[in-house]
Amino acid sequence: MGLARHVVCAMSGGVDSSVAALLLKRRGYSVTGVFMKNWDSLDERGVCSTEKDCEDAYRVCQALDIPFHQVSYVKEYWNEVFSNLLREYEKGRTPNPDILCNKHIKFNHFHKYAIHTLGADAMATGHYARTSQEDEEVFQQQHTAPPPTLFRNRFEVRNPVRLHKGADLLKDQTFFLSQISQDALRQTMFPLAGLTKDFVKKMAAEAGFHHVLKKKESMGICFIGERHFEEFILEVRSPFVEGDNLTDCFISYLEPKPGNFVSIEDGTVMGKHKGWFTLTLGQRARIGGQRDAWFVVDKDVTTGDVFVAPTTNHPALFRDMLRTDRFHWVAIDPPPELARVHMMECHFRFIHQMPLVPCTVTLNMDGSLWICLSKPIRALTPGQFAVLYKGDECLGSGKIMQLGPTEYTLQKSRENFVPAAPNKERPTPEPAS
Ligand SMILES: Nc1ncnc2c1ncn2[C@@H]1O[C@H](COP(=O)(O)OP(=O)(O)OP(=O)(O)O)[C@@H](O)[C@H]1O
């Protein structure tokens, strides 16, 4: 029997990645745990949670008797995720840093570090997701139970690897993985693929990982943590990175751009806002002096006007059509069915865990998609990702760049519709008496 395959497990100091490392070890892999540091300032409680998380990950590695490393992607996170986030806000869009972080950091820089620097055969994370390779391995395990050294298909796979929802549908994280590359996915293992969160917690307790079990689920902006977003984004901090550290040089992340809240119904100025960056379509607008709730339906980045509607389900918030940028297909670009007829039926979501909506997609020449939804949905938001599914497979995603008309604009255009003049040649029918 040859040497056990080497797997580098991304360890956050949380319960999921700790159990992922435990499972890999039990399955006979040679495992190395690696903690990533991507942000290095204090959160709003003045706590630098990174150090504590790193120590927690280290303690799990000690308990499992596996090597531990720490890497810093502070600079890369700043340049490829955070700057991108700021640019998107400046364009009036609402970005998704979690999807960008997986694409650029975990499944790019970290993947390369695991494979090329540490010489691993694969990387692993504690995400709740499954790949088509995991299915083949489970099948082999059940039927022939080969030692991990003989799992040749994972490392010498030829067919495209597909991304599927994990067994715990409530925890499914494929939405956040929808932009990762095929190269990275081919060399990734999701040891929690077939498990539920409850079972994972039970395993952590049995293994004695009490220090990670006590922790809260990670919330807030990926790696930046829980923040009051509006205050954070206008916070006085440095945009410069020196070596691996951010330097403090008192300017804000985004320059505040105040403007007016304008009623969509009659153009009345309802009040003032501090800046449109942090206002997202569909959110409740806090307008001073207004007793009723108003909701953001549109922004004009040139004038700074933010258009608001008086009810949460106002027709100006509903649309059934959107266009993406060049769509990222996880397995096959584009799927054969779409390549053949340029149209495909599948399912859509743009918010993690929102119910899937049936849709028809049309492929454009530049690789972007038009997506027509089976029903209008509320607050489709430019900058968010349109993620597509077929059955339990996550096909990939594209950034929402353009929206179709709202129900409200359609109604308005119908109101203003002037019927064509009656045909003079033909007599107008008499009303029935
Ligand atoms: N700082 C980090 N260093 C190394 N890997 C990380 C780090 N943060 C997240 N990961 C990896 O990404 C996976 C998903 O992280 P995320 O924060 O989205 O989920 P989570 O359910 O809170 O995971 P966990 O319980 O492991 O913290 C983790 O399980 C881990 O493998």
Side-chain angles (χ1 to χ4, degrees):
M1 192 161 73
L3 283 175
R5 296 286 189 175
H6 179 203
V7 181
V8 166
C9 186
M11 297 189 61
S12 63
V15 65
D16 297 328
S17 46
S18 302
V19 171
L22 169 74
L23 283 167
L24 291 168
K25 175 117 199 248
R26 285 197 187 153
R27 288 177 196 164
Y29 291 101
S30 154
V31 188
T32 300
V34 178
F35 180 84
M36 252 178 287
K37 182 177 168 179
N38 294 336
W39 191 259
D40 72 353
S41 65
L42 308 180
D43 68 15
E44 55 190 17
R45 288 165 297 151
V47 177
C48 179
S49 58
T50 312
E51 277 164 30
K52 169 87 178 67
D53 292 339
C54 182
E55 196 191 316
D56 290 339
Y58 173 68
R59 281 174 64 189
V60 171
C61 289
Q62 272 193 319
L64 293 175
D65 194 22
I66 60 173
F68 173 78
H69 295 266
Q70 196 198 141
V71 274
S72 170
Y73 293 121
V74 171
K75 195 157 90 187
E76 290 80 357
Y77 187 88
W78 182 277
N79 291 333
E80 293 164 47
V81 179
F82 196 67
S83 308
N84 192 321
L85 185 104
L86 298 182
R87 275 199 308 274
E88 288 291 288
Y89 278 118
E90 279 171 339
K91 288 182 188 148
R93 303 192 191 124
T94 303
N96 187 320
D98 299 294
I99 291 185
L100 294 175
C101 175
N102 280 327
K103 174 187 171 118
H104 295 293
I105 307 297
K106 294 182 193 164
F107 293 90
N108 181 29
H109 293 293
F110 184 88
H111 166 244
K112 288 184 181 138
Y113 172 78
I115 305 297
H116 302 306
T117 309
L118 298 181
D121 296 294
M123 64 172 266
T125 67
H127 284 105
Y128 288 82
R130 223 176 77 228
T131 68
S132 39
Q133 291 186 102
E134 246 105 25
D135 295 346
E136 286 170 35
E137 283 191 6
V138 168
F139 181 81
Q140 285 193 16
Q141 257 172 338
Q142 283 166 353
H143 290 79
T144 56
T149 46
L150 299 185
F151 285 155
R152 305 193 68 77
N153 56 337
R154 171 175 294 284
F155 306 104
E156 285 134 45
V157 67
R158 287 207 187 90
N159 294 335
V161 174
R162 293 168 187 273
L163 176 66
H164 294 279
K165 291 181 188 167
D168 189 338
L169 296 180
L170 291 177
K171 281 293 298 176
D172 170 49
Q173 288 174 306
T174 48
F175 179 84
F176 298 113
L177 300 171
S178 59
Q179 279 278 316
I180 71 175
S181 72
Q182 176 64 202
D183 280 353
L185 192 64
R186 293 170 97 81
Q187 291 174 315
T188 297
M189 300 171 84
F190 298 120
L192 308 188
L195 307 183
T196 60
K197 180 86 186 193
D198 285 345
F199 191 76
V200 167
K201 283 189 186 160
K202 222 168 106 204
M203 285 191 76
E206 279 164 15
F209 299 158
H210 302 293
H211 64 293
V212 298
L213 264 174
K214 279 192 288 197
K215 296 167 81 162
K216 275 204 306 175
E217 288 270 302
S218 47
M219 307 281 271
I221 318 164
C222 176
F223 288 105
I224 300 174
E226 278 177 75
R227 308 279 181 157
H228 180 287
F229 194 66
E230 193 166 345
E231 279 167 20
F232 167 69
I233 215 76
L234 302 174
E235 190 181 282
V236 179
R237 286 284 300 163
S238 162
F240 301 113
V241 178
E242 270 183 15
D244 283 343
N245 294 309
L246 301 178
T247 54
D248 283 331
C249 89
F250 298 92
I251 61 166
S252 67
Y253 289 130
L254 286 176
E255 194 189 319
K257 293 222 169 122
N260 293 325
F261 282 118
V262 178
S263 161
I264 183 145
E265 297 208 310
D266 56 10
T268 316
V269 173
M270 308 298 300
K272 298 259 173 228
H273 62 78
K274 285 197 224 152
W276 39 260
F277 304 124
T278 51
L279 294 168
T280 300
L281 266 53
Q283 87 169 74
R284 187 178 171 164
R286 304 204 171 278
I287 310 180
Q290 293 293 325
R291 278 180 38 220
D292 298 328
W294 287 77
F295 296 84
V296 176
V297 297
D298 209 353
K299 317 192 227 184
D300 183 337
V301 296
T302 47
T303 59
D305 286 345
V306 170
F307 296 95
V308 285
T311 51
T312 181
N313 283 329
H314 193 277
L317 277 163
F318 286 80
R319 302 171 197 258
D320 61 3
M321 219 173 154
L322 60 109
R323 187 182 173 129
T324 66
D325 65 354
R326 189 184 164 78
F327 200 83
H328 173 77
W329 301 99
V330 173
I332 306 172
D333 180 3
E337 181 188 347
L338 189 59
R340 234 179 4 256
V341 286
H342 286 235
M343 261 197 179
M344 185 175 75
E345 306 287 322
C346 52
H347 282 86
F348 162 91
R349 72 163 45 125
F350 78 108
I351 296 174
H352 176 46
Q353 298 202 326
M354 75 172 237
L356 287 166
V357 178
C359 67
T360 307
V361 303
T362 314
L363 180 63
N364 300 311
M365 294 289 279
D366 60 359
S368 66
L369 296 184
W370 270 112
I371 302 182
C372 286
L373 306 171
S374 63
K375 59 171 189 195
I377 58 177
R378 188 179 180 277
L380 285 172
T381 308
Q384 293 282 295
F385 284 89
V387 183
L388 296 182
Y389 288 84
K390 196 133 193 160
D392 79 346
E393 181 183 354
C394 175
L395 300 171
S397 64
K399 188 160 65 178
I400 301 177
M401 302 301 286
Q402 199 185 336
L403 300 174
T406 68
E407 293 283 285
Y408 185 69
T409 38
L410 290 175
Q411 274 170 23
K412 284 272 159 205
S413 65
R414 276 195 289 271
E415 269 171 33
N416 297 335
F417 177 71
V418 183
N423 189 335
K424 295 223 174 78
E425 317 264 278
R426 253 188 280 150
T428 317
E430 291 287 318
S433 53

